[in-house]
């Protein structure tokens, strides 16, 4: 059973830190705090395993919050960053492009806070479940015995799109959501992803991930935003690595942000 994520709140505004902490503590989350971006980086360096989600203010006078996001990206951290700012404007967009998961305005209502936090916590849970699925998928790629029907049933139950390739870049698995999204050309299984996927940017990112274990290319995930018609997809792409630290495939998880954006606008209009 997955445990609740550990959360680090980073802000030099004591009132904001206290408000976020109290809301999270009221629902049983373990909360740590930091008063500066430097302190946050020091904490992550020392206790990386104790941080799953970071609530990070973008308004610091010292080392910028963007530097924190860039460091987390460089060290391939799995920490999900929720940016906090007064207006979620251009700075927030820049932070999301750099790797932050989402942004929340500091003028949030309690309901709005939990709408945002529940979403990032669902992403945390899904990311951990994906790690389990990647391990299951490794046995498939290595031709070990496996219950493929069980794996496919789990994948098809997910609303997010799942794509898996072998080490040669051939599409070997996709879930129902991916098939119904219009992203694929036909069923495509067993063929190179260049022939199977309509989005060339996604093809490029997945192929780049397959090369990440080569010299001077460290293992790690990639996060990117993709446009596909009216849909805006947020893609998380990881290598599948066997017990000998060899890349034997790649796995992509894609989340349709356009529906979320539309819901956010409706909620904003009602407030």
């Amino acid at each position: 059973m997955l445990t609740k994520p550990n959360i680090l709140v980073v802000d030099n505004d004591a009132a904001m830190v206290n408000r976020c902490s109290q809301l999270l503590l009221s629902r049983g989350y373990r909360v740590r705090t930091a008063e500066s971006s430097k302190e946050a980086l020091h904490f992550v360096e020392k206790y990386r395993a104790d941080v799953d989600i970071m609530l990070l203010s973008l308004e610091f006078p010292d080392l910028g919050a963007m530097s924190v996001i860039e460091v987390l990206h460089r060290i391939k951290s799995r920490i999900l960053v929720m940016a906090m700012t007064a207006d979620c404007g251009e700075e927030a967009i820049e932070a999301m492009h750099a790797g932050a998961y989402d942004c929340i305005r500091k003028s949030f209502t309690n309901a709005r806070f939990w709408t945002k936090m529940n979403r990032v916590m669902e992403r945390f849970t899904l990311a951990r479940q994906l790690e389990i699925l990647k391990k299951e998928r490794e046995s498939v790629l290595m031709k070990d015995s496996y219950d493929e029907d069980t794996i496919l049933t789990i994948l098809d139950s997910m609303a997010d799109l799942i794509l898996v390739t072998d080490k040669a870049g051939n599409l070997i698995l996709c879930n129902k959501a991916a098939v119904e999204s219009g992203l694929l050309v036909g069923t495509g299984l067993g063929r190179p992803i260049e022939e199977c996927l309509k989005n060339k940017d996604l093809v490029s990112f997945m192929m780049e991930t397959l090369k990440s274990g080569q010299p001077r290319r460290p293992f790690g995930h990639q996060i990117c935003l993709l446009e596909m018609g009216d849909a805006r997809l947020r893609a998380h792409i990881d290598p599948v690595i066997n017990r000998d630290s060899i890349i034997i495939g790649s796995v992509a998880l894609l989340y349709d942000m356009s529906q979320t954006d539309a819901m956010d606008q409706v909620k904003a209009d009602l407030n």
Side-chain angles (χ1 to χ4, degrees):
M1 181 177 178
L2 292 172
T3 58
K4 286 187 174 182
N6 298 317
I7 301 172
L8 177 64
V9 182
V10 187
D11 201 323
N12 60 350
D13 182 342
M16 180 57 60
V17 169
N18 183 64
R19 185 180 180 196
C20 293
S21 298
Q22 290 303 315
L23 285 168
L24 293 164
L25 289 169
S26 70
R27 295 197 180 183
Y29 290 96
R30 184 184 180 191
V31 181
R32 307 283 186 125
T33 64
E35 297 181 354
S36 69
S37 48
K38 288 182 179 179
E39 185 181 348
L41 284 176
H42 176 73
F43 187 90
V44 169
E45 180 181 4
K46 192 172 182 180
Y47 306 107
R48 188 181 306 181
D50 291 337
V51 183
D52 299 306
I53 297 172
M54 182 185 295
L55 278 171
L56 176 64
S57 172
L58 298 183
E59 300 155 352
F60 279 115
D62 61 343
L63 176 69
M66 286 299 297
S67 297
V68 176
I69 297 173
E70 290 167 2
V71 168
L72 293 178
H73 181 71
R74 187 168 65 248
I75 65 176
K76 309 300 181 184
S77 171
R78 299 184 304 174
I79 296 172
L80 292 167
V81 176
M82 176 68 76
M84 297 191 298
T85 185
D87 56 9
C88 286
E90 292 184 5
E91 189 176 19
I93 294 173
E94 182 182 356
M96 292 175 67
H97 278 290
Y101 177 74
D102 202 349
C103 178
I104 183 169
R105 289 184 177 87
K106 290 188 176 182
S107 58
F108 60 78
T109 62
N110 288 1
R112 184 61 174 166
F113 177 85
W114 285 115
T115 296
K116 290 282 189 174
M117 290 306 300
N118 287 339
R119 188 180 303 154
V120 73
M121 289 170 185
E122 287 172 1
R123 181 58 47 191
F124 161 80
T125 300
L126 184 57
R128 295 300 181 267
Q129 291 172 335
L130 184 57
E131 289 178 5
I132 296 171
L133 288 172
K134 284 168 60 181
K135 292 178 181 178
E136 292 284 349
R137 197 61 210 167
E138 179 183 330
S139 67
V140 176
L141 292 168
M142 296 301 291
K143 306 300 183 183
D144 292 335
S145 60
Y146 61 92
D147 185 349
E148 185 171 12
D149 288 341
T150 299
I151 295 174
L152 291 175
T153 298
I154 295 172
L155 293 177
D156 285 342
S157 69
M158 294 182 174
D160 293 340
L161 287 61
I162 303 289
L163 302 166
V164 182
T165 74
D166 61 16
K167 63 182 179 181
N170 298 311
L171 184 66
I172 60 171
L173 180 69
C174 60
N175 67 346
K176 182 179 179 181
V179 173
E180 295 177 347
S181 70
L183 179 64
L184 302 178
V185 179
T187 55
L189 294 181
R191 294 190 292 127
I193 54 175
E194 294 95 331
E195 301 175 9
C196 303
L197 302 181
K198 296 179 181 179
N199 191 291
K200 301 306 178 185
D201 290 333
L202 178 58
V203 170
S204 177
F205 280 116
M206 294 190 76
M207 293 303 295
E208 181 68 19
T209 298
L210 289 172
K211 301 175 184 177
S212 65
Q214 296 178 4
R216 299 182 183 179
R217 293 174 181 266
F219 293 143
H221 66 269
Q222 298 191 67
I223 302 175
C224 55
L225 296 175
L226 306 171
E227 301 286 342
M228 193 181 74
D230 295 331
R232 295 175 62 245
L233 301 175
R234 185 180 183 88
H236 294 247
I237 306 167
D238 293 86
V240 180
I241 304 171
N242 68 11
R243 297 179 183 88
D244 298 319
S245 297
I246 297 173
I247 291 181
I248 56 175
S250 67
V251 57
L253 182 149
L254 296 93
Y255 172 70
D256 187 352
M257 298 182 64
S258 55
Q259 296 182 8
T260 300
D261 292 343
M263 292 176 63
D264 285 348
Q265 185 59 53
V266 171
K267 292 175 181 177
D269 292 342
L270 293 173
N271 288 337

